[in-house]
PDB file of all heavy atoms in Angstrom:
ATOM      1  N   CYS R 256      -3.960 -10.917   6.201  1.00 96.00           N
ATOM      2  CA  CYS R 256      -2.529 -11.189   6.407  1.00 96.00           C
ATOM      3  C   CYS R 256      -2.250 -11.635   7.835  1.00 96.00           C
ATOM      4  O   CYS R 256      -1.359 -12.448   8.061  1.00 96.00           O
ATOM      5  CB  CYS R 256      -1.682  -9.983   6.035  1.00 96.00           C
ATOM      6  SG  CYS R 256      -1.846  -8.558   7.133  1.00 96.00           S
ATOM      7  N   ILE R 257      -3.002 -11.123   8.811  1.00 97.00           N
ATOM      8  CA  ILE R 257      -2.719 -11.482  10.204  1.00 97.00           C
ATOM      9  C   ILE R 257      -2.931 -12.969  10.458  1.00 97.00           C
ATOM     10  O   ILE R 257      -2.375 -13.510  11.413  1.00 97.00           O
ATOM     11  CB  ILE R 257      -3.558 -10.635  11.198  1.00 97.00           C
ATOM     12  CG1 ILE R 257      -5.057 -10.825  10.972  1.00 97.00           C
ATOM     13  CG2 ILE R 257      -3.170  -9.181  11.141  1.00 97.00           C
ATOM     14  CD1 ILE R 257      -5.910 -10.174  12.048  1.00 97.00           C
ATOM     15  N   CYS R 262       4.337 -13.448   6.843  1.00 97.00           N
ATOM     16  CA  CYS R 262       4.052 -12.084   6.376  1.00 97.00           C
ATOM     17  C   CYS R 262       4.707 -11.881   5.012  1.00 97.00           C
ATOM     18  O   CYS R 262       5.418 -12.733   4.526  1.00 97.00           O
ATOM     19  CB  CYS R 262       4.647 -11.066   7.340  1.00 97.00           C
ATOM     20  SG  CYS R 262       3.916 -11.068   8.980  1.00 97.00           S
ATOM     21  N   GLY R 263       4.474 -10.737   4.444  1.00 89.00           N
ATOM     22  CA  GLY R 263       5.222 -10.434   3.230  1.00 89.00           C
ATOM     23  C   GLY R 263       4.400  -9.863   2.106  1.00 89.00           C
ATOM     24  O   GLY R 263       4.933  -9.515   1.055  1.00 89.00           O
ATOM     25  N   ALA R 265       2.160  -7.199   2.486  1.00 91.00           N
ATOM     26  CA  ALA R 265       1.509  -5.940   2.879  1.00 91.00           C
ATOM     27  C   ALA R 265       2.547  -4.828   3.012  1.00 91.00           C
ATOM     28  O   ALA R 265       2.555  -4.082   3.981  1.00 91.00           O
ATOM     29  CB  ALA R 265       0.740  -6.132   4.184  1.00 91.00           C
ATOM     30  N   CYS R 277       6.069  -3.554   6.112  1.00 97.00           N
ATOM     31  CA  CYS R 277       4.640  -3.592   6.397  1.00 97.00           C
ATOM     32  C   CYS R 277       4.197  -2.220   6.883  1.00 97.00           C
ATOM     33  O   CYS R 277       4.980  -1.481   7.479  1.00 97.00           O
ATOM     34  CB  CYS R 277       4.359  -4.650   7.473  1.00 97.00           C
ATOM     35  SG  CYS R 277       2.673  -4.583   8.120  1.00 97.00           S
ATOM     36  N   HIS R 279       2.479  -1.606   9.342  1.00 93.00           N
ATOM     37  CA  HIS R 279       2.564  -1.544  10.811  1.00 93.00           C
ATOM     38  C   HIS R 279       4.007  -1.475  11.290  1.00 93.00           C
ATOM     39  O   HIS R 279       4.257  -1.403  12.495  1.00 93.00           O
ATOM     40  CB  HIS R 279       1.868  -2.749  11.433  1.00 93.00           C
ATOM     41  CG  HIS R 279       0.382  -2.652  11.364  1.00 93.00           C
ATOM     42  ND1 HIS R 279      -0.344  -1.796  12.159  1.00 93.00           N
ATOM     43  CD2 HIS R 279      -0.517  -3.270  10.560  1.00 93.00           C
ATOM     44  CE1 HIS R 279      -1.621  -1.903  11.871  1.00 93.00           C
ATOM     45  NE2 HIS R 279      -1.756  -2.785  10.893  1.00 93.00           N
ATOM     46  N   PHE R 280       4.945  -1.545  10.373  1.00 94.00           N
ATOM     47  CA  PHE R 280       6.355  -1.474  10.754  1.00 94.00           C
ATOM     48  C   PHE R 280       7.068  -0.392   9.953  1.00 94.00           C
ATOM     49  O   PHE R 280       8.159  -0.620   9.435  1.00 94.00           O
ATOM     50  CB  PHE R 280       7.017  -2.847  10.565  1.00 94.00           C
ATOM     51  CG  PHE R 280       6.647  -3.836  11.634  1.00 94.00           C
ATOM     52  CD1 PHE R 280       5.553  -4.677  11.471  1.00 94.00           C
ATOM     53  CD2 PHE R 280       7.360  -3.899  12.826  1.00 94.00           C
ATOM     54  CE1 PHE R 280       5.196  -5.585  12.470  1.00 94.00           C
ATOM     55  CE2 PHE R 280       7.008  -4.803  13.826  1.00 94.00           C
ATOM     56  CZ  PHE R 280       5.928  -5.642  13.648  1.00 94.00           C
ATOM     57  N   PHE R 307      11.770 -11.180   7.394  1.00 98.00           N
ATOM     58  CA  PHE R 307      10.614 -10.568   8.074  1.00 98.00           C
ATOM     59  C   PHE R 307       9.377 -11.443   7.897  1.00 98.00           C
ATOM     60  O   PHE R 307       8.638 -11.715   8.839  1.00 98.00           O
ATOM     61  CB  PHE R 307      10.347  -9.171   7.498  1.00 98.00           C
ATOM     62  CG  PHE R 307       9.104  -8.519   8.034  1.00 98.00           C
ATOM     63  CD1 PHE R 307       9.106  -7.889   9.270  1.00 98.00           C
ATOM     64  CD2 PHE R 307       7.909  -8.545   7.305  1.00 98.00           C
ATOM     65  CE1 PHE R 307       7.942  -7.305   9.777  1.00 98.00           C
ATOM     66  CE2 PHE R 307       6.751  -7.963   7.806  1.00 98.00           C
ATOM     67  CZ  PHE R 307       6.781  -7.339   9.042  1.00 98.00           C
ATOM     68  N   LYS R 311       7.378 -14.625  11.098  1.00 98.00           N
ATOM     69  CA  LYS R 311       6.025 -14.761  11.655  1.00 98.00           C
ATOM     70  C   LYS R 311       5.766 -16.230  12.032  1.00 98.00           C
ATOM     71  O   LYS R 311       5.197 -16.517  13.074  1.00 98.00           O
ATOM     72  CB  LYS R 311       4.969 -14.276  10.647  1.00 98.00           C
ATOM     73  CG  LYS R 311       3.571 -14.367  11.242  1.00 98.00           C
ATOM     74  CD  LYS R 311       2.483 -13.787  10.371  1.00 98.00           C
ATOM     75  CE  LYS R 311       1.224 -13.663  11.205  1.00 98.00           C
ATOM     76  NZ  LYS R 311       0.052 -14.241  10.625  1.00 98.00           N
ATOM     77  N   CYS R 332      -0.909 -11.061  14.303  1.00 98.00           N
ATOM     78  CA  CYS R 332       0.133 -10.163  13.792  1.00 98.00           C
ATOM     79  C   CYS R 332       1.338 -10.069  14.742  1.00 98.00           C
ATOM     80  O   CYS R 332       1.161  -9.888  15.946  1.00 98.00           O
ATOM     81  CB  CYS R 332      -0.469  -8.774  13.594  1.00 98.00           C
ATOM     82  SG  CYS R 332       0.753  -7.569  13.043  1.00 98.00           S
ATOM     83  N   PRO R 333       2.546 -10.156  14.195  1.00 97.00           N
ATOM     84  CA  PRO R 333       3.741 -10.045  15.043  1.00 97.00           C
ATOM     85  C   PRO R 333       3.796  -8.749  15.858  1.00 97.00           C
ATOM     86  O   PRO R 333       4.421  -8.726  16.909  1.00 97.00           O
ATOM     87  CB  PRO R 333       4.891 -10.101  14.028  1.00 97.00           C
ATOM     88  CG  PRO R 333       4.341 -10.868  12.888  1.00 97.00           C
ATOM     89  CD  PRO R 333       2.881 -10.491  12.812  1.00 97.00           C
TER      90      PRO R 333
HETATM   91  S1  SF4 P 501       3.207  -7.603  10.342  1.00 54.26           S
HETATM   92 FE1  SF4 P 501       1.019  -7.879  10.796  1.00 54.26          FE
HETATM   93  S2  SF4 P 501      -0.045  -6.437   9.421  1.00 54.26           S
HETATM   94 FE2  SF4 P 501       2.069  -6.694   8.660  1.00 54.26          FE
HETATM   95  S3  SF4 P 501       1.939  -8.331   7.110  1.00 54.26           S
HETATM   96 FE3  SF4 P 501       2.466  -9.282   9.056  1.00 54.26          FE
HETATM   97  S4  SF4 P 501       0.520  -9.894   9.934  1.00 54.26           S
HETATM   98 FE4  SF4 P 501       0.058  -8.399   8.347  1.00 54.26          FE
END
Side-chain angles (χ1 to χ4, degrees):
C256 69
I257 60 172
C262 295
C277 170
H279 286 287
F280 285 91
F307 174 80
K311 182 174 193 231
C332 177

